Amino acid sequence: MVFSPSSGYPTHRPRRLRSHPRLRDLVREQRLTVDDLIYPMFVYHGKNVRREIASMPGQYQYSLDRLGDAVAEIAELGIPSVLLFGIPEHKDATGSAASHDSGIVQDAIRLIKKQSPELHVITDVCFCEYTDHGHCGPLTDRSGRLDVDNDATLPLLAEQSVSHAQAGADMIAPSGMMDGMVQAIRAGLDGAGFTHIPILAYAAKFASAYYGPFREAAESAPSFGDRRSYQMDPANGDEALREVALDLAEGADLVMVKPALAYLDIVRRVKDSFGVPVAAYNVSGEYAMVKAAAAKGWIDERRIVLETLTGFKRAGADMILTYHAPDVARWLRNG
Ligand code: PBG
Ligand code: ZN
């Protein structure tokens, strides 16, 4: 604050710009809109399933016959895009159900495209929901230690991506953090005639405890060990920039930082360094914390969520993947 030597009062008064609500609207730098939102959904095998996820109140696993109504509501709310996760009936060592032409996600894509063609459909491409061991690709023995076989996973990722594109997916989002995954998927899509399908790479994905509730939702918890040999160490920021640079060099069209809350410095650095579209994933544990505190009456859920998501935009996110999307769409519509 600058003080006028003659009067002793401040001459620079930022409060002037806060003096009228309409003026506050005029000088507001960021605006969260429904167009920023991507809604993640869990598609479950079987019939007549609409099961609430215990650690994610308000979020459900849907079987195909119950998915249509849920998706219609998302479209009606004006949410532009959904991200699909599939939970198949049969899991095996290589996650072979992931690439079946009539697999759970493939069928879900066709259903959504037929029923709500205005929705943009993104598919998460990984194997942890499809493998019986819950890791993000087939395993190999590395001197007595089982680890995901990076290079054996690459052609499988390409195959899964092509099968999603054939079913009608609009965008592919590989989340397994395998080295070379974007290049392999780009080559696979291009070879199958899907040169126009963009790749949203989970480029800086950290090995995070915030994924806990998701693993209940997707039934994808690893049966042994953890994901630290492929997901990033939460302590590493420079490495996140190297990961993003690699994914862009391999052909990623958009990049994601995940989780969001504890990694907003990464969002900002990625945006400033590369100037590409950046997505922030407001993950399951972030959602669960807000819902739990709100259920206790300890926080104002609406204000907390809008403040948080606006903070993601201020940090540089162009789009936000969030389980709060339907609530946010309603709040923004109704004021
Ligand atoms: C699978 C995947 C995960 C999430 C998105 N894709 C979980 C994981 O890596 O274990 C987490 C999403 C969330 O927590 O909301 N690779
Ligand atoms: Zn995975």
Side-chain angles (χ1 to χ4, degrees), residues 236-258:
N236 296 356
D238 293 343
E239 186 190 354
L241 295 195
R242 297 199 295 274
E243 281 278 7
V244 169
L246 277 173
D247 281 2
L248 291 171
E250 290 178 29
D253 302 281
L254 317 85
V255 293
M256 192 195 299
V257 175
K258 179 184 174 195

Side-chain angles (χ1 to χ4, degrees), residues 257 259-269 280 308 311-312 314-316:
V257 175
L261 268 181
Y263 301 89
L264 291 185
D265 58 321
I266 311 293
V267 172
R268 170 48 59 196
R269 291 177 71 188
T308 301
F312 295 170
R314 198 189 61 247

Side-chain angles (χ1 to χ4, degrees), residues 205-226:
K205 176 173 177 180
F206 291 86
S208 173
Y210 283 102
Y211 306 151
F214 173 94
R215 292 179 187 173
E216 179 197 336
E219 300 179 4
S220 64
S223 61
F224 66 91
D226 54 45

Side-chain angles (χ1 to χ4, degrees), residues 15-275:
R15 287 189 56 194
R16 285 190 198 108
L17 292 180
R18 300 174 200 139
S19 61
H20 191 291
R22 295 285 80 80
L23 180 56
R24 291 198 291 270
D25 290 345
L26 286 169
V27 300
R28 183 163 301 119
E29 297 176 31
Q30 298 292 336
R31 268 192 180 73
L32 180 69
T33 78
V34 70
D35 295 332
D36 301 322
L37 305 176
I38 299 170
Y39 184 51
M41 300 186 80
F42 302 100
V43 193
Y44 203 83
H45 65 85
K47 284 209 164 48
N48 200 24
V49 179
R50 182 179 179 273
R51 189 182 307 120
E52 189 168 30
I53 298 147
S55 53
M56 301 175 72
Q59 305 304 313
Y60 298 82
Q61 297 168 328
Y62 296 100
S63 54
L64 285 168
D65 55 324
R66 302 292 296 272
L67 183 67
D69 287 349
V71 163
E73 192 183 347
I74 296 307
E76 194 278 320
L77 285 168
I79 293 167
S81 191
V82 292
L83 172 69
L84 300 182
F85 295 95
I87 302 112
E89 187 169 7
H90 299 293
K91 306 191 184 214
D92 60 23
T94 59
S96 59
S99 304
H100 285 172
D101 178 48
S102 57
I104 184 78
V105 164
Q106 291 80 355
D107 283 348
I109 298 165
R110 280 186 288 261
L111 182 142
I112 295 170
K113 282 285 151 191
K114 190 161 168 223
Q115 184 209 281
S116 304
E118 71 272 38
L119 271 182
H120 176 257
V121 178
I122 312 172
T123 57
D124 184 275
V125 166
C126 200
F127 285 99
C128 44
E129 300 94 350
Y130 300 90
T131 52
D132 49 16
H133 44 73
H135 281 283
C136 298
L139 302 174
T140 185
D141 194 316
R142 297 263 185 251
S143 338
R145 198 189 314 239
L146 286 175
D147 196 6
V148 174
D149 187 336
N150 191 91
D151 294 7
T153 307
L154 297 180
L156 301 177
L157 286 168
E159 183 188 31
Q160 185 186 156
S161 302
V162 169
S163 103
H164 290 177
Q166 277 164 348
D170 296 299
M171 186 153 86
I172 300 297
S175 66
M177 290 296 283
M178 294 299 122
D179 294 337
M181 69 178 184
V182 174
Q183 182 172 35
I185 290 170
R186 186 71 270 161
L189 290 172
D190 291 354
F194 296 107
T195 53
H196 58 291
I197 299 292
I199 297 175
L200 164 59
Y202 286 68
K205 176 173 177 180
F206 291 86
S208 173
Y210 283 102
Y211 306 151
F214 173 94
R215 292 179 187 173
E216 179 197 336
E219 300 179 4
S220 64
S223 61
F224 66 91
D226 54 45
R227 302 208 202 290
R228 278 183 268 204
S229 78
Y230 40 106
Q231 298 178 352
M232 287 185 56
D233 183 336
N236 296 356
D238 293 343
E239 186 190 354
L241 295 195
R242 297 199 295 274
E243 281 278 7
V244 169
L246 277 173
D247 281 2
L248 291 171
E250 290 178 29
D253 302 281
L254 317 85
V255 293
M256 192 195 299
V257 175
K258 179 184 174 195
L261 268 181
Y263 301 89
L264 291 185
D265 58 321
I266 311 293
V267 172
R268 170 48 59 196
R269 291 177 71 188
V270 168
K271 192 69 196 170
D272 287 347
S273 303
F274 301 101

